[in-house]
Amino acid sequence: MPQLNENFLKLEKNYLFINIAKKIKAYSDANPDADIIRMGIGDVTQPIAQCVIDAMKKGADEMAVKETFKGYEDSGAGYDFLKEAVSGYYSSFGVEIKPDEIRINDGAKCDCGNIVDIFGNDNVVLITDPAYPVYVDTNLMNGRRVIYADSNEQNSFAAMPDESVHADLIYLCSPNNPTGSVYTKDQLKEWISYAKKNNAIIIYDCAYEAFITEEDIPRSIFAVEGSRECAIEMCSLSKTAGFTGMRCGYTVIPDELTAKASDGSEVSISQLWGRRQGSKFNGVSYPVQCAAAAVFSEEGLKQTSENIKYYQQNAKVIASALDEMGIKYTGGKNSPYIWFKCPNNMSSWDFFDKLLSEANVVGTPGSGFGKNGEGWFRLTAFGDSERTKEAMERFKALKF
Ligand code: PLP
């Protein structure tokens, strides 16, 4: 009989969004005429830019011609044309990353989850709370000790390091899911200095960097001095360019990043990750990589930014409704997420139920992202603009 990895049995039984889907289903089965507006799951709704789709079609056509047909990609780390396009994108905001420091993947979630493979199970893992559930779950699956840095109302949901606590791996996400908060350059400097003191590695998730509107907020941890020796960065085209159904992202591991093995030898993190990927990953489809490269072309960036502006406008609608109601929130400005305090000190799930049953609006209970999320709630700006306006009118009409 196979032995189970019983760490899985210690996880929450269902991923947060499965619990939400069950509640919505139960409600709509009981109220089939309810006009439900979904502002819960962080999925995009606007179609992909035409020039990106044209590039994918061209890539697909090449697969039908003997001379241009592509089978397995040599390295599985992405075609040079895409790595060069990503590197060029970094240059456009002043960060120099070599194409070979970039590995293309089928979305950031996989790398966020799989990166744990190359680190030992005795590491102490520091995760800001609340957090994107993948960081916690994938470490618990391997039986690692997870400690938390509190993001709360006092620090505007931007947790900072506690010098008295040691960590080996640190997860940071900016712009943050779920709180929409962002780290400034000075705050990232503190994290980098903490990481260096602890010989730790920062896993930096910037899946929402395209939503940053303030000039002085870094779009990459590599915009901050000293990060190349202590950070891995993960990014995605899912929210930047509507790729949630296409699947493409990228991970950056600088050449300088090393860690000591138990025999004292210096090991390149990039080589170790490359070795892991070589055994377990066979690359992203050619047409999707063609589409991804088109996102970073002049026309691609122009067309894609229209969708981002559309979502940013929704974020403004949500934020101004909350302002009107006098409800405290973070996010919205550099992020598609708005994170607010549940009115009347309600618990996150009580507020979820009230919003669903009395306004037919779905959001995400903050407690699903960690203990500091209790009493808070997330709405996303990824919906249709008219429906977002309608949802906020219904919210404003709620009686507490
Ligand atoms: N990182 C964060 C913070 C996210 O919120 C998400 C998706 O919602 C991802 C990574 C994963 O993105 P994908 O796997 O679609 O690239």
Side-chain angles (χ1 to χ4, degrees):
M1 196 167 39
Q3 222 178 36
L4 298 175
N5 176 352
E6 298 208 359
N7 292 314
F8 278 74
L9 307 180
K10 297 177 202 149
L11 300 174
E12 285 284 330
K13 217 172 174 73
N14 283 322
Y15 190 60
L16 170 64
F17 294 102
I18 295 177
N19 286 333
I20 293 174
K22 277 188 183 162
K23 282 216 173 216
I24 301 171
K25 184 170 183 322
Y27 182 80
S28 50
D29 284 351
N31 302 275
D33 297 330
D35 173 25
I36 296 176
I37 304 180
R38 293 164 191 258
M39 296 167 77
I41 198 158
D43 199 355
V44 289
T45 55
Q46 289 294 298
I48 294 172
Q50 189 58 49
C51 67
V52 172
I53 296 302
D54 290 344
M56 183 168 70
K57 284 184 185 161
K58 186 167 168 285
D61 284 342
E62 286 174 33
M63 297 296 251
V65 176
K66 191 166 181 26
E67 288 70 30
T68 50
F69 165 79
K70 304 269 187 302
Y72 287 128
E73 191 197 299
D74 287 345
S75 69
Y79 287 101
D80 286 345
F81 67 81
L82 178 52
K83 293 194 291 184
E84 279 156 18
V86 175
S87 168
Y89 178 61
Y90 271 100
S91 294
S92 72
F93 48 81
V95 175
E96 293 314 317
I97 301 288
K98 286 176 251 162
D100 283 344
E101 294 176 315
I102 297 162
R103 297 187 75 95
I104 306 302
N105 58 39
D106 55 351
K109 189 175 193 174
C110 306
D111 280 15
C112 281
N114 293 332
I115 196 80
V116 295
D117 273 11
I118 63 166
F119 297 107
N121 285 346
D122 291 335
N123 284 304
V124 177
V125 182
L126 177 64
I127 302 179
T128 58
D129 173 306
Y132 178 49
V134 175
Y135 316 145
V136 177
D137 286 357
T138 54
N139 278 289
L140 294 182
M141 283 169 186
N142 282 8
R144 293 213 180 84
R145 187 167 151 237
V146 175
I147 58 171
Y148 297 94
D150 292 330
S151 298
N152 50 34
E153 202 175 343
Q154 288 70 44
N155 56 30
S156 305
F157 288 96
M160 294 307 294
D162 174 350
E163 299 291 340
S164 67
V165 173
H166 168 79
D168 303 296
L169 290 173
I170 302 159
Y171 285 77
L172 299 179
C173 176
S174 175
N176 190 271
N177 177 13
T179 71
S181 64
V182 282
Y183 281 121
T184 62
K185 221 171 198 172
D186 285 341
Q187 287 174 320
L188 287 178
K189 272 187 194 156
E190 273 187 55
W191 275 110
I192 289 166
S193 143
Y194 170 80
K196 288 193 166 173
K197 269 186 219 148
N198 284 276
N199 284 322
I201 291 180
I202 297 173
I203 297 164
Y204 192 77
D205 183 342
C206 57
Y208 298 92
E209 61 76 23
F211 288 83
I212 293 175
T213 54
E214 290 173 299
E215 281 283 303
D216 52 346
I217 299 295
R219 285 170 166 255
S220 159
I221 194 164
F222 300 120
V224 186
E225 219 174 286
S227 55
R228 288 184 59 90
E229 300 85 45
C230 67
I232 295 173
E233 178 158 292
M234 296 184 177
C235 198
S236 165
L237 291 176
S238 282
K239 313 300 159 90
T240 303
F243 269 48
T244 50
M246 296 268 273
R247 311 306 306 143
C248 196
Y250 46 94
T251 291
V252 178
I253 306 185
D255 290 341
E256 291 91 322
L257 187 65
T258 60
K260 271 204 170 38
S262 54
D263 66 2
S265 61
E266 206 75 38
V267 177
S268 153
I269 296 296
S270 164
Q271 277 174 19
L272 209 59
W273 178 238
R275 183 66 189 83
R276 186 270 175 210
Q277 290 294 78
S279 287
K280 294 198 186 183
F281 183 63
N282 256 345
V284 177
S285 84
Y286 175 69
V288 167
Q289 292 199 52
C290 292
V295 168
F296 300 109
S297 66
E298 200 179 329
E299 187 53 27
L301 289 171
K302 195 168 131 238
Q303 289 186 18
T304 298
S305 74
E306 292 306 315
N307 285 350
I308 291 174
K309 279 186 206 140
Y310 180 93
Y311 299 134
Q312 283 167 334
Q313 185 51 37
N314 286 344
K316 277 192 190 145
V317 167
I318 301 170
S320 65
L322 294 173
D323 283 335
E324 247 180 78
M325 291 184 277
I327 295 175
K328 268 198 177 162
Y329 63 91
T330 54
K333 201 183 237 173
N334 297 298
S335 150
Y337 296 121
I338 290 96
W339 174 254
F340 62 89
K341 197 168 190 164
C342 300
N344 269 3
N345 291 321
M346 288 177 88
S347 76
S348 301
W349 278 109
D350 283 352
F351 182 71
F352 175 92
D353 290 334
K354 184 175 172 77
L355 196 63
L356 174 60
S357 60
E358 294 177 24
N360 292 173
V361 173
V362 177
T364 313
S367 54
F369 297 99
K371 79 169 170 37
N372 290 305
E374 181 53 281
W376 291 74
F377 204 78
R378 189 191 80 174
L379 287 180
T380 93
F382 283 127
D384 171 83
S385 70
E386 288 310 312
R387 299 286 278 166
T388 302
K389 285 180 199 153
E390 163 74 18
M392 295 321 286
E393 288 308 314
R394 292 188 198 170
F395 187 166
K396 283 193 273 182
L398 283 180
K399 298 264 176 301
F400 290 96

